[in-house]
Amino acid sequence: MLKPDAAKPKAALLFGSFNPLHEGHLAILRYLAEHRLADELRLVVSPQSPFKQGQGLLDNAHERLDAARAAVAQTGLPVIVSDVEFDLPEPRYTIDTLRHLQRTEPDKEFVLVMGGDNITALDSWHLADELLRDFEIWVYPRPGTDAQPYVDAFNARPCVKGVKYFKDAPQNNISSTEIRARKVLTYDVIIIGGGITGVGVARDCALRGLKAVLVERDDLTVGASGRNHGLLHSGARYAMGDPESARECIAENRILKQIAPHCIDACDGLFVTLPEDDLGYQQRFIDACLAAGIDAAAIDPAEARRIEPSVNPDLVGAVLVPDASVDPFRLVFANALDAAARGAEILSYHEVRGLRRDGRRVTGIDVWDVRGKQEKHLEAPVIVNAAGTWAGQVAAMAGARITMYPDKGTLLVFGTRINQLVLNRCRPSSDADILVPSDVTTILGTTSQRLEPKEIPGARPTPEEVDLLLAEGSKLAPALLQTRILRAYSGIRPLIALDGAEEGGRHISRSFVLFDHESRDDVPGLVTIAGGKMMTYRLMAERTVDLICRKLGREVVCTTAEVPLPEAIARPERFGGRVICECENVREDEIRYAIDQLGARTLLDLRRRTRVGMGSCQGQLCALRAAQMLPEPDVRGFINERWKGIYPVAWGEAMREAQLAQWMYKEQNL
Amino acid sequence: MTFDTLIIGGGHSGLQQGIALQKQGRSCLIVSTGESPRRFRDPEWSQEVERHRFEDLGGFWLEDRVLGGEFSGTNEGEILNRIFTESRGEKALDAEQFILATGSFYSGGLMADPEHVWEPLFGLDVFFEGGHKDWVRPDFFAPQPFMSFGVLTDAEGRVLRAGRPVLNLLAYGSVVSSRCAR
Ligand SMILES: Cc1cc2nc3c(=O)[nH]c(=O)nc-3n(C[C@H](O)[C@H](O)[C@H](O)COP(=O)(O)OP(=O)(O)OC[C@H]3O[C@@H](n4cnc5c(N)ncnc54)[C@H](O)[C@@H]3O)c2cc1C
């Protein structure tokens, strides 16, 4: 046994994630302090990856640190809460941190404090021999484990500095894991739904200093926010029929171009009149645009053909408007990342199963942690229902009634970018009359079909819709018929009935609805924000958080119109390893990164994070390869999901893929 | 140089036929382009290896794209006289016997638009039913009608053109409708 350096003051270190810090931790600190066993007590809080969400209650490492500091301060114990590990490179093993401390504070002797349940596995720790040789270890008892034999065994080994067992220290029956399962957490605001509306509200709350948590039952963007047309409307489409929406659109169009330029392709748009359309409509359309504040100018058909060669050459009129194209995934993730960076918690894979009530007031939510397989309870004075198409179901949990008009829209993705500008038909809005360029592809849409709520889960594109889209869309740009179709997809518009209105579909206002259920249904604590468009999310969030602030008596002004959004998911530029997905050039290391850091577990998760399966083979070559790396390799589900997009367009190139898929996956037993 | 048999398509079926015929002492030329999708279904199978087997048996291989052919009519049916290729231009290739082994949709042996399925080289008679809505089923794992589409052949394996057999053109492999496949 090496002689301890008696001259040096001793610092005892308790390591942990402290998620949360609880009475069990405090009891051991109290014991050490009371018995003056060390000259200094330190709590070393370990950071976790910001993306490992949903594992604990406090997902943000800095929040855990602050919470630990606050809890320690309350006890008055002489304990230093240390964030030393926050700046150390990964992977951070205990021995590395100890060595670091030895280097930076050579005049101290460090002692490692651990629970009796940890000592049993100490041999499997990184460089355990070194740890035992160079550091004293203090063990406190934990219920259910008898640490004595382990302590004795370690002390019997040569080259062990010394393991002390405080057998008589008070035991505490509680563990963080149990607390996590039991504890009710309180916030200022709980937001239900991880679409653009929910993440927008979360970011606005965070910017105004409200403590917000967002719960999404699946992954972010699985609802309408990941299945829309990606058009940053100028408002022109609504100028004739819905001037209020038109004004909202043009205002938000200008703001988003300022705060999120990296999510937007400011390509402009054309409204074209074809020989079969009424040219008289064009002037009325321009007048309505100008009245709504939208810059709309007629241009010569020849000029239109010059700036947009793909347009139907027979056009008889064209109007230039400031339409643009927006990347929905980037916009959602940019909002979510910024909200999290500013202190909001984003809990994906957390499904709201019930609302907690106190009389008629809604006070919290019962949420099922899908991956942690446990129930959690969160409380807040205000709960925001941003569940999109499912908003009616959430409101019903509180006994409030909202009528939703789920409306299916189907779109077609083409394998090349056909048009440079957004192309619209200059006529009353109809099916298949918008062509939006989206990066290197073009998206044609959309259809409109009212669904019964029970039809929502099975909604998918049909071959009939595809025929309609092509017949109409090719009038705008004839080249569509010669262009390879990548796939079809459908989304569901969360249209909402205005109070008193009975009719839906395109006749319902595309503007949004903000319900204060306190005044509307005598259900205090619940607010619903729904309808609208992806591109008006910021305004929707602003109005919602204004209402929340009034309710909480915290008047803070909104700054989302000025504070720019950060770049969406920062992806390390170079990943190595074997190529897994040839079409999108995704390598092994990127997949590993998505699994470890971005929480991907299934092939569908992976597709949203790495583009695996988005390219021209539509996942047929890479799915099996990628699946082998994943914790939940649901190849069958993935292939069926991709098939939904291919089967309605099964001719030409898509037929090749369809056939390859049949060969590859039918002959295997999945 | 003349050949007994000219095989169009050097994938799995074309090579199988070529190897079998060489072994019987017939001289074959395979005209082919592109890769065979067979490797996706059978990772053990290698086009390289099979092609070498064929060439070691004395078979000839020409990397070229067949564009079409010239037919003449007789009382019993049609005769394919010669075929044209991309790089040979006017210098057509002729043979007594032809074999079509161009594969299915994946390899371009069959083509489809929303309403029709056709055989692009010679406009042969093709089996398909309805329009694209009828060719597929929403459930991937259900039997898919399009997988049975392909050229029609008579009892002797000869392809049909406007209902008449082409006397010296046989078809093999996935270009043939599974209804006629032997
Ligand atoms: C075909 C189509 C085309 C469109 N085109 C455009 C366009 O070009 N431009 C534009 O601006 N807008 C467009 N929109 C509209 C836009 O997509 C939607 O208005 C917007 O995405 C709605 O966002 P949201 O967050 O309110 O809803 P969603 O994105 O649907 O989010 C709601 C979320 O709530 C979650 N949720 C539901 N129930 C629960 C629960 N119990 N617990 C936890 N979470 C729950 C869901 O999983 C979902 O992720 C289009 C819509 C469609 C369908």
Side-chain angles (χ1 to χ4, degrees), chain A residues 460 463-464 466-467 621 636 639-640 643 647-652 655-667 670, chain B residues 37-38 40-41 104-108 111-114 117 132-133 135-144 146-147 149 174:
Chain A
R460 56 193 292 169
E464 290 76 11
V466 169
D467 286 351
L621 301 180
R636 211 184 152 95
I639 290 298
N640 249 330
W643 184 248
Y647 104 93
V649 296
W651 67 84
M655 202 70 155
R656 299 186 63 208
E657 267 124 52
Q659 186 163 54
L660 181 59
Q662 291 285 319
W663 282 333
M664 287 189 61
Y665 293 101
K666 271 249 187 85
E667 293 172 5
L670 296 172
Chain B
R38 185 76 190 181
F40 298 124
R41 305 159 70 181
S104 184
F105 298 102
Y106 185 86
S107 307
M111 308 259 238
D113 69 14
V117 175
H132 73 96
K133 298 180 196 50
W135 302 344
V136 278
R137 299 256 163 77
D139 176 9
F140 176 85
F141 294 94
Q144 298 291 340
F146 76 90
M147 293 298 281
F149 297 173
S174 57

Side-chain angles (χ1 to χ4, degrees), chain A residues 192-198 215-233 326 350-353 386-390 393-394 397 407-411 446-447 490-494 529-536 540:
Chain A
I192 304 172
I196 186 68
T197 309
V215 287
E216 161 58 49
R217 66 176 165 199
D218 201 295
D219 200 0
L220 300 180
T221 72
V222 296
S225 303
R227 309 184 142 266
N228 61 58
H229 208 161
L231 173 58
L232 189 79
H233 289 276
V326 51
H350 278 64
E351 177 169 10
V352 175
R353 292 267 175 93
T389 307
W390 302 273
Q393 289 163 28
V394 170
M397 294 177 191
D407 186 90
K408 181 175 80 157
T410 291
L411 304 107
T446 158
T447 58
S490 304
I492 298 171
R493 296 183 187 86
I529 176 75
K533 282 167 283 292
M534 172 174 63
M535 59 137 338
T536 54
M540 294 165 70

Side-chain angles (χ1 to χ4, degrees), chain A residues 265-498:
Chain A
D265 172 359
C267 54
D268 288 341
L270 284 180
F271 276 74
V272 303
T273 305
L274 298 181
E276 64 198 84
D277 303 330
D278 165 22
L279 189 56
Y281 185 85
Q282 180 173 299
Q283 194 52 50
R284 298 199 297 281
F285 169 78
I286 295 175
D287 293 343
C289 285
L290 295 177
I294 302 159
D295 301 327
I299 60 171
D300 190 57
E303 173 65 4
R305 281 195 296 271
R306 192 187 65 76
I307 61 173
E308 184 48 72
S310 76
V311 72
N312 186 335
D314 299 336
L315 82 169
V316 293
V319 181
L320 188 64
V321 298
D323 277 352
S325 164
V326 51
D327 181 331
F329 296 95
R330 285 198 183 186
L331 193 63
V332 170
F333 282 106
N335 272 280
L337 280 183
D338 199 43
R342 295 174 191 277
E345 272 176 61
I346 308 285
L347 302 180
S348 40
Y349 295 99
H350 278 64
E351 177 169 10
V352 175
R353 292 267 175 93
L355 296 181
R356 308 200 125 196
R357 312 282 298 274
D358 177 8
R360 294 194 63 82
R361 174 174 287 277
V362 177
T363 57
I365 56 175
D366 293 328
V367 34
W368 177 246
D369 172 354
V370 178
R371 293 187 163 171
K373 295 197 173 34
Q374 58 174 333
E375 176 119 348
K376 291 179 185 172
H377 310 298
L378 313 183
E379 295 202 334
V382 185
I383 289 165
V384 178
N385 171 11
T389 307
W390 302 273
Q393 289 163 28
V394 170
M397 294 177 191
R401 223 178 83 93
I402 300 179
T403 311
M404 298 298 302
Y405 289 114
D407 186 90
K408 181 175 80 157
T410 291
L411 304 107
L412 277 183
V413 191
F414 291 83
T416 48
R417 179 170 176 148
I418 298 160
N419 47 329
Q420 296 312 310
L421 279 69
V422 176
L423 285 175
N424 298 265
R425 279 289 274 284
C426 194
R427 62 173 186 190
S429 298
S430 176
D431 280 338
D433 57 359
I434 315 182
L435 203 59
V436 181
S438 170
D439 199 1
V440 296
T441 67
T442 281
I443 304 177
L444 167 64
T446 158
T447 58
S448 173
Q449 183 201 347
R450 181 73 50 76
L451 298 183
E452 292 300 321
K454 64 173 189 309
E455 295 173 305
I456 293 175
R460 56 193 292 169
T462 65
E464 290 76 11
E465 289 171 323
V466 169
D467 286 351
L468 174 74
L469 284 168
L470 280 175
E472 284 301 310
S474 58
K475 293 182 192 160
L476 269 175
L480 283 183
L481 292 179
Q482 272 73 55
T483 309
R484 169 171 181 197
I485 300 172
L486 273 188
R487 67 190 308 252
Y489 65 95
S490 304
I492 298 171
R493 296 183 187 86
L495 300 188
I496 184 166
L498 293 165

Side-chain angles (χ1 to χ4, degrees), chain A residues 196-208:
Chain A
I196 186 68
T197 309
V199 296
V201 171
R203 176 175 190 249
D204 197 330
C205 283
L207 274 166
R208 296 201 218 189

